[in-house]
Structures are given as C-alpha cells and as structure tokens.
Amino acid sequence: MAIATFSFVAAALLVASAGAMTDNSATVLSKAMKTMVASDFVYEPLVKNSDVNSSLSQPRMVEQWKALEGQGIAQSYFKLGACSLRPPHVHQFAAGLLYVISASNLSVGFVTNNGTAVTNYISTGASTLFPQGLIHYQQNLGCNTATYTISYNSENPGTQVVVPALSKLPVFGASLGLDANSSKSAMSSVPAAPFVDSSDPLCVARCKLSGPVPAAAVGGR
Ligand SMILES: *[C@@H]1O[C@H](CO)[C@@H](O)[C@H](O)[C@H]1NC(C)=O
Ligand SMILES: *[C@@H]1O[C@H](CO)[C@@H](O)[C@H](O)[C@H]1NC(C)=O
Ligand SMILES: *[C@@H]1O[C@H](CO)[C@@H](O)[C@H](O)[C@H]1NC(C)=O
Ligand SMILES: *[C@@H]1O[C@H](CO)[C@@H](O)[C@H](O)[C@H]1NC(C)=O
C-alpha cells in the first residue's frame, strides 16, 4: 500500500514536471515575452515626481509593462502626501497586498461583504490585505510623505473609484438621500483628482499644513 502510494506520488510528480515543461510556451513564455530582451524585465516609471511632498501613483500593470502578460501579477507604487487620501475604490479582478516602505501612520481599511468596516493604522514595514472586489482606501495621517507598494494577483486588476463612478449615474443624489439642489452641489464637490489633499482636519492642524482646509462634503473634501 505504502509502495503503491509512493509510486503513485512519483508518477504524479513526473506528470506534473513534464506538464510544467510542455506548458512553458503557454505560461512562462508569453507571446510578447518571446521577443523580449533583458531590460524588458525591468520596469522604469515614465512618470517621475520629484516633489517629495505631493502624491503620486505609479502603476506597473500589463498596460504599462508588457512582461507581466500571462503572469497574473502586477504592482503599483504610491507616494501619499501628509494628510492625503487615496479615496475609496475597488479592484474588480484582484486582491491587493500593500507593503509600507515608509509611513508613520497610514490609515487603511475596507468594507466586508456584510457591511462591516475593517480599519487599521499601520506604519513602516507592515503589510496589509485588501480582499478582491471590496471597497478600500489609504489615508496618510502622518506629517511626512508615505510610500508604499501594492501587489495584485492579476496583471490587470481593474480600478474603479467609488464616488466619482457613482456620480456618473443619474441616481447619484437619490442614492445619498439628497434633494435635487443638494445633489447638484454634492456632484460638483466630487474631487476629480486621484488623491484628496488635506483630507483630515485634525491631521492638517497637527502637521500645520497650509493647504486648503477641508469642508464637509461628499468625496471627503
Ligand atoms: C515636505 O514636508 C516636510 C514636512 O512637512 C517639510 O519639512 C518640507 O519642507 C517639505 N518639503 C518641500 C520640498 O516642500
Ligand atoms: C494614527 O491615527 C489614529 C487616528 O487619528 C490614532 O488613533 C492612532 O493613535 C495613530 N497612531 C499612531 C501610531 O500615531
Ligand atoms: C459581519 O462579519 C463580521 C466579521 O466576520 C462579524 O463580526 C459581524 O457580526 C458580521 N455582521 C453581520 C451583520 O452579519
Ligand atoms: C433649489 O434651488 C432653486 C434655485 O436656486 C430654488 O428656487 C429652489 O427652491 C431650491 N429647491 C430646494 C428644494 O431647495
């Protein structure tokens, strides 16, 4: 019985390794990869932001980086200014694994399927998970710029920023319980930028920032 089990396992391993070899052309070497040179396996961001205090997102997804094709993986690099918010968004096709390169207090959170908020305050060296398809955010409550990466288990994670997306629908105001006038003013206050600066009044005061003081409105401004 033990011998039979052993040879079954050995046979399975042989089949698996043979399979892995014949699979090379389909998985390890994507169509695009066959024509690639060594430097194509290194990603150099096109958008470089030298202002240390302003926010920046540098996606390294298949759209920007062909080597990822067929690999089911991607990454983004973020720089989030003091008191800035990366507003609630979802990745329809991937979970996100955030790693903090440098932050004193990064507020991160998501809402579970049953409507429970999960929030944490993390700092340099920590990792946190955003489950696939759930609304989540990052907010820098520290007075120095936060830097972090997020890795995704898809080469094309898909990103939809919740409030701007919602504001495109004719039922935006109605879904917030607003009358027509309030709905119009809420819509005009939805930030277009990918980041919301001065997103937390206590943080702005603590860090003595001179930027715009946030007003209570839809979208976090
Ligand atoms: C960036 O922010 C830090 C901390 O608030 C400040 O000391 C520094 O002067 C800022 N640097 C620039 C270039 O604005
Ligand atoms: C981070 O900010 C939150 C919210 O203001 C606060 O409760 C927490 O104590 C802060 N953590 C650190 C390490 O400063
Ligand atoms: C939602 O899930 C959380 C965590 O699993 C649980 O603690 C909570 O009771 C649940 N809430 C509802 C309304 O089911
Ligand atoms: C909406 O604004 C218009 C024009 O400013 C005003 O006449 C109207 O009374 C307002 N409606 C409500 C429900 O506040």
Side-chain angles (χ1 to χ4, degrees), residues 8-207:
F8 174 77
V9 170
L13 283 174
L14 273 176
V15 168
S17 60
M21 268 192 262
T22 50
D23 269 348
N24 260 359
S25 56
T27 59
V28 178
L29 291 176
S30 72
K31 203 172 155 196
M33 221 180 261
K34 283 181 184 157
T35 59
M36 284 184 170
V37 298
S39 60
D40 291 331
F41 293 86
V42 173
Y43 179 79
E44 291 279 2
L46 292 175
V47 181
K48 291 186 181 163
N49 178 343
S50 54
D51 176 355
V52 293
N53 290 336
S54 68
S55 299
L56 168 76
S57 105
Q58 281 174 348
R60 294 112 203 265
M61 296 169 184
V62 72
E63 197 184 329
Q64 292 82 25
W65 191 10
K66 272 276 170 262
L68 298 181
E69 190 180 296
Q71 302 298 316
I73 193 167
Q75 190 174 64
S76 290
Y77 166 83
F78 294 94
K79 201 153 66 73
L80 197 53
C83 309
S84 287
L85 169 70
R86 186 165 174 242
H89 60 280
V90 293
H91 304 293
Q92 305 94 303
F93 311 121
L97 190 55
L98 183 154
Y99 171 74
V100 184
I101 299 167
S102 176
S104 60
N105 197 349
L106 188 66
S107 171
V108 291
F110 60 90
V111 181
T112 68
N113 270 340
N114 77 4
T116 306
V118 175
T119 54
N120 282 294
Y121 302 99
I122 60 176
S123 57
T124 305
S127 290
T128 193
L129 174 74
F130 303 114
Q132 179 173 347
L134 298 184
I135 294 177
H136 63 281
Y137 74 92
Q138 296 105 42
Q139 184 183 35
N140 180 10
L141 296 178
C143 298
N144 290 312
T145 300
T147 52
Y148 54 93
T149 60
I150 304 181
S151 301
Y152 306 95
N153 60 341
S154 165
E155 65 224 51
N156 183 21
T159 302
Q160 196 164 42
V161 187
V162 176
V163 175
L166 181 59
S167 73
K168 299 273 161 49
L169 296 175
V171 295
F172 172 60
S175 51
L176 295 170
L178 301 176
D179 64 34
N181 287 354
S182 309
S183 169
K184 223 171 149 185
S185 95
M187 204 174 292
S188 66
S189 70
V190 172
F195 301 99
V196 181
D197 291 333
S198 301
S199 65
D200 181 85
L202 292 177
C203 180
V204 169
R206 188 172 61 249
C207 301

